[in-house]
Amino acid sequence: MQVTFPQDTAQDPQKEFIVEFNRAFAENKTEEILSYMSDDITWNLVGNSVMNGKEEVLKMLQTMEEESADELVINTIVVSGDTAAANGEMKFPSVT
């Protein structure tokens, strides 16, 4: 899988975490994704859904178990305290 991310990521452990989290998501590594989360996570997939708690996240991940992305492009990562956001896209083989 091809991965592209901002150059300043290497100097910031929090940004590195966001890259690794998104890589696990793109590669459909459910257990790794869940290991990064607290039980009371709130995950907002902007324009899609808001999930509260690991159980809701797991249900969403299970619907995606058969596919992994071909490419992950992270354009921007913003970190402030314990909040982070990434802007980019994942390209999947079934999406044309």
Side-chain angles (χ1 to χ4, degrees):
M1 176 180 65
Q2 181 179 344
V3 179
T4 307
F5 52 87
Q7 290 183 347
D8 69 341
T9 301
Q11 294 91 4
D12 188 330
Q14 290 176 300
K15 288 182 178 183
E16 285 180 1
F17 168 82
I18 297 301
V19 170
E20 292 309 312
F21 177 85
N22 278 281
R23 182 188 314 264
F25 187 82
E27 293 176 346
N28 200 15
K29 295 182 176 178
T30 301
E31 291 303 317
E32 183 177 344
I33 295 165
L34 294 175
S35 75
Y36 291 133
M37 298 178 184
S38 64
D39 291 337
D40 63 346
I41 185 171
T42 297
W43 188 0
N44 183 0
L45 291 173
V46 177
N48 190 357
S49 63
V50 176
M51 292 163 282
N52 294 297
K54 273 187 176 180
E55 290 300 317
E56 285 188 18
V57 173
L58 178 58
K59 287 178 188 175
M60 182 273 298
L61 293 173
Q62 288 171 334
T63 67
M64 301 173 60
E65 284 185 342
E66 298 300 317
E67 284 197 78
S68 294
D70 288 335
E71 183 177 3
L72 168 61
V73 178
I74 301 174
N75 299 314
T76 308
I77 301 171
V78 178
V79 177
S80 178
D82 65 351
T83 301
N87 174 298
E89 63 183 313
M90 292 180 196
K91 298 178 182 178
F92 290 85
S94 65
V95 178
T96 58

